[in-house]
Amino acid sequence: MRTDALGAAVDEALRPAIGTALSGGPAGAAALEPLVREVLGALAEGAARRGGPVPPGAPDEITAGVAEALRTARGPAALGRLTELLAHGSADPADPACAAHLHCPPLAVAVAADLAVSALNPSQDSWDQAPAATALETLLLEELAGMLGYDPTEAAGVLTSGGTESNLMGLMLARDRVLGAATGRQIELTGVPRAGLGAGVGARPRILASAAAHFSVQRAAALLGLGEDAVIPVPVDSQLRMRAGALAATLEACVERGQLPVAIVATAGTTDTGAIDPLRECAELAAEYGAWLHVDAAYGGGALLSDRLAPLLDGVELADSVSLDWHKLGWQPTAAGVFLVRKSETYASLARRAVYLNPADDEEAGYPSLLGLSLRTTRRSDAFKIAVTLRTLGREGLGRLVDACHELAVAGARAVSAHPRLELHGEGDPVLTAFLFRYVPEGPADGARTDRVNASLRRRLLREGGAVVGRTELPGDGPGRVRLKLTLLNPHTTVAEVERLLRAVVAAGETEEKL
């Protein structure tokens, strides 16, 4: 039998080194504490050394610095060294001059919640890996379904990696339901018929989406065996909003050609202008033609948090499926996507049984499984940080953040309109928190030259580490379509800081114009 001294010596010898300590168990928190302190210090050091929204330098310079750090960082010092490198070399969405993309600065409380998930590492593919997290995700989705306008007792959903995965799921269910009903086949088992609806018919499935819809719609069509050219772009207005009349005409033309409208994808918040398609009209046309309506509200879904902006999404509750991203206007660490369907029975083709994860007798005994709700198997508990944030701030608190960003975008767009060297795209105030504009060089109008100057001034700002401004192109052909973009997702940014950013754009434009 061991003496106390011998036992202590053996325990000490077996104690894991700092690099092999685990984050779970009773000792997990103690193992994490010094490491978290080191990470926090390195984050602060890296941000201070960066001194702006993005590190200065060309891409090859950044790559060389990363390669050198990877080559030399070794042992216990690697955590701090590489964290400081990451902080220095990151585009920081918390900086007021980092305003290019739907790339939000996450709330500190959400990041802290995410640390708990990372430490405990629950996996949502079976109840015995995530008892509390399974229940929490189910209850959170009921709450979000109600916020969307669905009946929580009839809806179903899952947490996803983001809008791309959610759009794929919505179109997969559309394919299985609508094409399955038209062909009398179980599409998820037999696949998409080569001849469309059957021998001799020759009809092809079609997906209708606005010309400004997210590129993931085409990607989903390719993955689902329909082909990217199954997606028919519907014309948009000057604000990049789908035209309801054009949608009706396109649907009619599809039917006249013997094609099957499988799905309509309506966008609630385009990436460039935040435009919201006419959701109620889309729902009426989907019902008339027997098509599935999927609403991509990855960006615009955040409007549901605001009493003032929520009416913009009128009709979203009529959609068969909806995608939301809380890592945009929800201020969550990536990933925090949500996919919801109005009727749980429409989820049937995704159901899966794996005897080692969700045996039927377990479910009959009251042990629920989320496996059949997701395209993924191993899946972290991304619902936890959303739940913590909602309980901390409430819908009202988050709504105030949405309103602050919208007001900031309105002020920024008006500042653009007032500047003699800047030109705002479109009329009126921004719908959500993004707007397009461009720098206008002196001299005669020259679309090609204007495009070159705007593209190059953005890269100059990046090289100098002064600002991260978005770049896009308006639909159409020919020169003169390049536009810059501000996407304002930092509720703590001030109007003065946005005006300072616009002055930096003008200064960079003047420099490039001289070149």
Side-chain angles (χ1 to χ4, degrees), residues 159-497:
L159 269 289
T160 71
S161 60
T164 295
E165 181 183 349
S166 295
N167 290 344
L168 174 62
M169 292 181 71
L171 292 175
M172 175 181 175
L173 296 179
R175 179 201 66 178
D176 296 346
R177 298 286 293 187
V178 178
L179 188 56
T183 62
R185 302 185 184 199
Q186 198 169 346
I187 302 299
E188 67 272 21
L189 295 182
T190 64
V192 178
R194 288 191 177 185
L197 299 183
V201 178
R204 279 203 60 190
R206 295 298 191 192
I207 297 168
L208 287 76
S210 87
H214 196 264
F215 67 86
S216 60
V217 175
Q218 280 82 1
R219 178 178 287 176
L223 291 171
L224 294 171
L226 304 176
E228 290 195 23
D229 62 359
V231 180
I232 301 179
V234 179
V236 296
D237 61 20
S238 62
Q239 295 300 308
L240 308 188
R241 182 175 184 260
M242 185 193 291
R243 291 166 41 208
L247 175 61
T250 305
L251 284 164
E252 184 178 355
C254 281
V255 173
E256 288 176 353
R257 291 193 295 266
Q259 298 167 343
L260 176 69
V262 169
I264 296 170
V265 179
T267 305
T270 58
T271 55
D272 282 345
T273 64
I276 297 174
D277 291 339
L279 304 181
R280 191 165 289 277
E281 291 93 331
C282 289
E284 291 169 356
L285 287 166
E288 179 181 346
Y289 284 88
W292 178 283
L293 176 61
H294 175 71
V295 174
D296 178 0
Y299 176 20
L304 295 170
L305 297 166
S306 162
D307 289 338
R308 177 155 51 87
L309 298 180
L312 292 171
L313 269 70
D314 174 57
V316 70
E317 71 280 1
L318 303 175
D320 294 291
S321 58
V322 177
S323 64
L324 306 169
D325 274 7
W326 282 68
H327 52 251
K328 292 182 173 67
L329 273 179
W331 298 280
Q332 300 296 297
T334 306
V338 175
F339 175 71
L340 289 164
V341 295
R342 182 162 48 91
K343 300 290 185 182
S344 59
E345 60 265 26
T346 61
Y347 235 121
S349 62
L350 265 175
R352 286 294 178 271
R353 179 77 61 196
V355 293
Y356 69 100
L357 291 174
N358 62 340
D361 55 324
D362 267 7
E363 292 194 348
E364 291 165 3
Y367 292 82
S369 169
L370 306 181
L371 181 66
L373 297 173
S374 179
L375 293 177
R376 293 177 285 164
T377 304
T378 301
R379 187 167 59 82
R380 75 194 305 270
S381 180
D382 289 318
F384 182 71
K385 60 199 174 193
I386 301 176
V388 168
T389 302
L390 271 171
R391 289 302 173 270
T392 301
L393 295 177
R395 176 182 174 273
E396 298 78 10
L398 285 166
R400 286 192 291 272
L401 301 184
V402 173
D403 288 342
C405 290
H406 178 248
E407 291 161 6
L408 192 66
V410 169
R414 292 177 181 177
V416 166
S417 295
H419 200 289
R421 303 301 301 276
L422 298 176
E423 178 185 272
L424 183 69
H425 170 72
E427 299 177 356
D429 291 333
V431 178
L432 294 173
T433 68
F435 60 88
L436 303 182
F437 67 105
R438 65 178 174 177
Y439 171 82
V440 181
E442 290 184 332
D446 182 338
R449 176 170 176 255
T450 300
D451 286 350
R452 288 195 301 271
V453 170
N454 278 272
S456 61
L457 78 82
R458 173 181 165 272
R459 290 190 291 269
R460 171 174 291 277
L461 291 169
L462 285 173
R463 287 195 308 274
E464 295 173 349
V468 186
V469 176
R471 177 199 188 279
T472 188
E473 294 182 13
L474 299 178
D477 299 307
R481 295 182 296 114
V482 170
R483 292 296 184 276
L484 303 176
K485 176 172 64 170
L486 292 190
T487 308
L488 299 166
L489 296 181
N490 184 343
H492 301 303
T493 296
T494 66
V495 173
E497 287 168 330

